């Protein structure tokens, strides 16, 4: 059968690659065409568009590049029409995917959504469109199923795919990894400033401002696969900091603490049991718009899932040298760390068991066979 998958960003590429592996197991003759990244491409199928080409962050940035975005949507519809898939699978990336989903449903395509748009965070009115345009919604956060139930829409909770990704990875030898990247023996503070240029530019310089205050620690930047080192170098300048590209999980596995940009990385860091400070800073316009439409108490997935402040969030103007230094001191304190570890274990329990990608693939293939 023919599958068309649309994913955006590094996290979508990761989850899309695991879903593709599961689809190939369920359907040996699967013909997959997709929008994604390097990880999905390494599994097989045909890559149509790389997510690097459309990595626009925030309302203002999207508006500024609106003609490009609309061009991608138009091309996507044309490509789907030519391929004529048996089903379309949307992964996160709501601004793009919900527009395509509306068109796809009108054309009679079967539609699946894996990793729900964050309609529980803002613009809940979009649920009406999802009910109309999405045949099957597979959610990965425990509270999402109950959220959709309030709108008489039956979503399927499959557990979080990060559980599989982290559990299935090859264990890193601490000493060998340190030797390979010349990290010495100091305790490591990982810096995860995000994957988009806009967020890295706004956050990395503030993170690096702490270097002199914590000279007994080794600061290491986790480089995103979507960005070249030359881009980071412009921000790093002459500062003495290590840089490791596309090895975030390996780095987190040996880290003592982390400063993390808001997003999926906050949950990944928690699952590696690394104490963290969550950071966010966007453009002033994007932030002001977001503040008016997002109704959540928290921005990090850790706190949202636990429904309380487990990790400290420094947002916009609160994300500065003084506050960041203060919060880093806290997560280096042994008493605070022990409390945080217990919260992290409770978090993992709430995320459900293993096999999210397998559950989604099995259900999609089963549904298609029933339609044949």
């Amino acid at each position: 059968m023919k599958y068309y998958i649309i994913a955006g960003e590094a996290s979508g590429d990761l989850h899309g690659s695991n879903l593709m592996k599961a689809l190939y197991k369920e359907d040996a003759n699967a013909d997959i065409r997709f929008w994604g990244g390097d990880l999905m491409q390494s599994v097989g199928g045909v890559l149509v568009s790389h997510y690097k080409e459309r990595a626009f962050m925030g309302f203002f940035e999207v508006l500024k590049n609106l003609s490009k975005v609309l061009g991608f949507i138009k091309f996507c519809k044309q490509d789907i029409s030519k391929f004529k898939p048996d089903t379309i699978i949307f992964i996160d990336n709501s601004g793009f995917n919900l527009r395509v989903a509306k068109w796809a449903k009108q054309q009679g395509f079967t539609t699946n959504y894996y990793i729900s748009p964050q309609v529980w965070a803002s613009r809940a009115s979009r649920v009406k469109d999802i009910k109309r345009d999405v045949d099957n919604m597979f959610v990965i956060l425990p509270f999402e199923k109950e959220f959709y139930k309030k709108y008489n829409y039956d979503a399927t909770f499959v557990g979080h795919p990060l559980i599989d990704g982290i559990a299935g990875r090859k264990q890193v030898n601490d000493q060998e990894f340190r030797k390979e990247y010349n990290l010495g023996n100091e305790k490591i503070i990982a810096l995860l400033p995000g994957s988009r240029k806009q967020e890295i530019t706004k956050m990395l310089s503030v993170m690096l401002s702490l270097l002199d205050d914590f000279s007994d620690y080794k600061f290491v930047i986790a480089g995103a696969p979507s960005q070249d080192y030359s881009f980071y170098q412009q921000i790093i300048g002459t500062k003495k900091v290590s840089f490791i590209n596309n090895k975030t999980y390996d780095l987190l596995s040996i880290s003592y603490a982390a400063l993390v940009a808001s997003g999926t990385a906050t949950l990944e860091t928690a699952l590696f049991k690394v104490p963290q400070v969550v950071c966010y800073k966007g453009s002033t316009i994007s932030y002001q718009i977001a503040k008016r439409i997002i109704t959540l108490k928290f921005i990090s997935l850790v706190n949202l899932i636990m429904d309380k402040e487990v990790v400290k969030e420094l947002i916009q103007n609160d994300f500065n040298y003084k506050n960041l230094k203060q919060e880093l001191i806290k997560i280096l304190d042994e008493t605070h760390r022990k409390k945080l570890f217990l919260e992290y274990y409770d978090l993992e329990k709430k995320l459900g068991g293993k096999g999210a990608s397998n559950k989604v693939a099995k259900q999609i293939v089963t549904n298609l066979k029933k339609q044949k």
Side-chain angles (χ1 to χ4, degrees), residues 164-352:
D164 295 318
I166 292 173
R169 57 180 286 279
K170 183 180 179 182
Q171 295 298 310
V172 171
N173 181 291
D174 187 304
Q175 291 305 313
E176 289 180 4
F177 188 79
R178 286 173 177 273
K179 185 177 180 181
E180 181 181 355
Y181 292 100
N182 194 29
L183 299 179
N185 296 314
E186 300 103 322
K187 290 176 180 175
I188 291 173
I189 297 175
L191 306 182
L192 282 66
S195 59
R196 301 182 185 94
K197 285 186 177 180
Q198 295 101 318
E199 58 186 343
I200 296 170
T201 300
K202 289 183 177 297
M203 287 188 276
L204 183 55
S205 59
V206 180
M207 293 177 176
L208 292 176
S209 69
L210 301 183
L211 262 62
D212 292 339
D213 296 293
F214 298 87
S215 56
D216 291 340
Y217 294 85
K218 172 71 74 174
F219 283 76
V220 184
I221 299 169
S226 56
Q227 305 298 339
D228 295 327
Y229 175 67
S230 58
F231 169 70
Y232 290 92
Q233 184 59 54
Q234 297 171 35
I235 304 169
I236 296 169
T238 58
K239 293 183 177 67
K240 293 182 179 179
V241 60
S242 296
F243 178 89
I244 301 176
N245 192 51
N246 201 19
K247 294 279 184 181
T248 301
Y249 280 11
D250 292 347
L251 176 60
L252 284 174
S253 72
I254 66 167
S255 293
Y256 192 72
L259 307 179
V260 188
S262 174
T264 306
T266 63
L267 189 54
E268 292 170 321
T269 303
L271 290 174
F272 274 100
K273 310 299 185 291
V274 180
Q276 65 182 297
V277 181
V278 177
C279 311
Y280 172 83
K281 189 162 191 175
S283 70
T284 302
I285 294 175
S286 293
Y287 174 68
Q288 290 301 326
I289 294 172
K291 194 167 69 168
R292 284 162 174 74
I293 66 171
I294 294 176
T295 57
L296 299 174
K297 290 186 290 183
F298 307 107
I299 63 168
S300 70
L301 286 172
V302 176
N303 292 342
L304 285 169
I305 294 166
M306 295 298 285
D307 196 27
K308 62 180 179 180
E309 184 182 81
V310 172
V311 294
K312 183 64 178 182
E313 301 176 351
L314 296 179
I315 304 170
Q316 204 65 6
N317 293 332
D318 288 336
F319 175 61
N320 56 52
Y321 162 76
K322 181 183 176 181
N323 290 339
L324 192 58
K325 177 182 176 180
Q326 180 180 312
E327 294 305 325
L328 180 53
I329 290 171
K330 284 183 184 178
I331 63 172
L332 295 176
D333 175 73
E334 206 55 47
T335 302
H336 184 83
R337 293 170 67 83
K338 287 177 182 176
K339 292 178 183 176
L340 197 49
F341 291 144
L342 292 175
E343 298 282 14
Y344 279 171
Y345 284 113
D346 288 341
L347 169 74
E348 190 166 356
K349 288 178 186 175
K350 285 195 171 191
L351 288 175

Side-chain angles (χ1 to χ4, degrees), residues 126-144:
R126 290 179 293 170
V127 174
K128 182 177 72 173
D129 297 336
I130 288 171
K131 289 175 68 174
R132 180 193 66 212
D133 302 329
V134 178
D135 295 313
N136 304 292
M137 173 64 75
F138 301 97
V139 299
I140 63 173
L141 298 173
F143 59 79
E144 290 178 314

